[in-house]
Amino acid sequence: MLEKLPKTWWGLFLVSLVVIVPFMFPYLTLDPTNSRITIIPGTVQYPLLVAHIVSAFIALLTGFFQFVDRIRLRNPRIHRFLGRVYVYSVFISGLLSLGSIFYAENFMKATSFLILSLAWLFTCWKGYRTAINREYEEHRKWMIRSFAMTLVAISARLLVPALLLLYYILHGFSLPHGMETVIGEVLNVNIWAGLILNFVIVEWAILKK
């Protein structure tokens, strides 16, 4: 599967852009009133959030090109440059995400972002260290794991319709507390769902390799 991955890479790349750009666009206005989440006035929450989103987007873009063989094999200098940008972006975004946890709406969201941030930072650090030590096979595995954590932002949003349907089925094909409550509950668990899904897929792919 790891060899076949680049053949479908551009499809995944386009899907990721379609999902993330509309989500990110309101924050590029630098107007807190356009935020998709409640911003606490007089705090650093909004600057932290914007910086986290922008650096995560840079990590997403550079991460995709890390796995393009034409760059990785034929232009190793560009591959290393993009790799450094990816690592810096992940560390900046991951650390900012840890700071944003204190402004999370509830404990469920706070813990999901905490685990995701720590997993993202750890896998990226391992990918960086294995590259420095010239352990290239391990480096590739850890960078795949790291990029899977980067893609949680995508998979978590793509899973929302499936989670809404699951909620509807589990509640006897009804919405006893209304759609607004259901959406709120789904958005409390979609990060967990995306994290678990990406972890399972990546580990399965690595083991199959």
Side-chain angles (χ1 to χ4, degrees), residues 31-135:
D31 184 354
T33 60
N34 292 330
S35 174
R36 294 177 180 271
I37 64 172
T38 302
I39 299 298
I40 302 174
T43 68
V44 296
Q45 179 188 9
Y46 188 70
L48 279 178
L49 182 61
V50 172
H52 159 68
I53 291 171
V54 171
S55 52
F57 184 66
I58 294 172
L60 180 70
L61 292 180
T62 54
F64 267 109
F65 289 99
Q66 285 294 286
F67 298 95
V68 176
D69 285 342
R70 184 172 296 180
I71 296 175
R72 184 172 62 87
L73 300 176
R74 300 181 186 177
N75 299 282
R77 189 171 297 179
I78 296 176
H79 175 73
R80 288 192 293 270
F81 171 76
L82 291 174
R84 292 188 187 97
V85 175
Y86 174 79
V87 169
Y88 294 147
S89 301
V90 169
F91 276 108
I92 291 170
S93 187
L95 292 172
L96 290 171
S97 180
L98 289 175
S100 300
I101 288 170
F102 296 98
Y103 301 100
E105 298 174 18
N106 53 59
F107 182 72
M108 180 72 79
K109 284 187 178 181
T111 53
S112 65
F113 283 114
L114 174 62
I115 298 301
L116 174 57
S117 299
L118 292 177
W120 198 23
L121 290 168
F122 176 73
T123 53
C124 186
W125 177 78
K126 288 289 290 184
Y128 170 75
R129 290 303 304 167
T130 49
I132 293 296
N133 295 331
R134 299 182 181 276
E135 301 170 12

Side-chain angles (χ1 to χ4, degrees), residues 141-208:
K141 290 178 182 178
W142 281 108
M143 292 309 288
I144 289 171
R145 291 183 177 114
S146 173
F147 194 60
M149 297 300 100
T150 306
L151 290 174
V152 169
I154 309 300
S155 57
R157 286 168 178 81
L158 291 175
L159 283 171
V160 168
L163 292 172
L164 288 171
L165 178 61
L166 179 61
Y167 185 100
Y168 183 65
I169 293 172
L170 292 177
H171 286 79
F173 299 94
S174 65
L175 302 176
H177 304 294
M179 180 58 77
E180 186 175 346
T181 299
V182 173
I183 292 175
E185 292 191 22
V186 165
L187 293 179
N188 282 335
V189 300
N190 69 318
I191 294 295
W192 282 113
L195 180 58
I196 294 170
L197 177 65
N198 286 17
F199 175 81
V200 170
I201 291 174
V202 164
E203 293 305 315
W204 173 79
I206 290 175
L207 287 173
K208 188 177 179 182

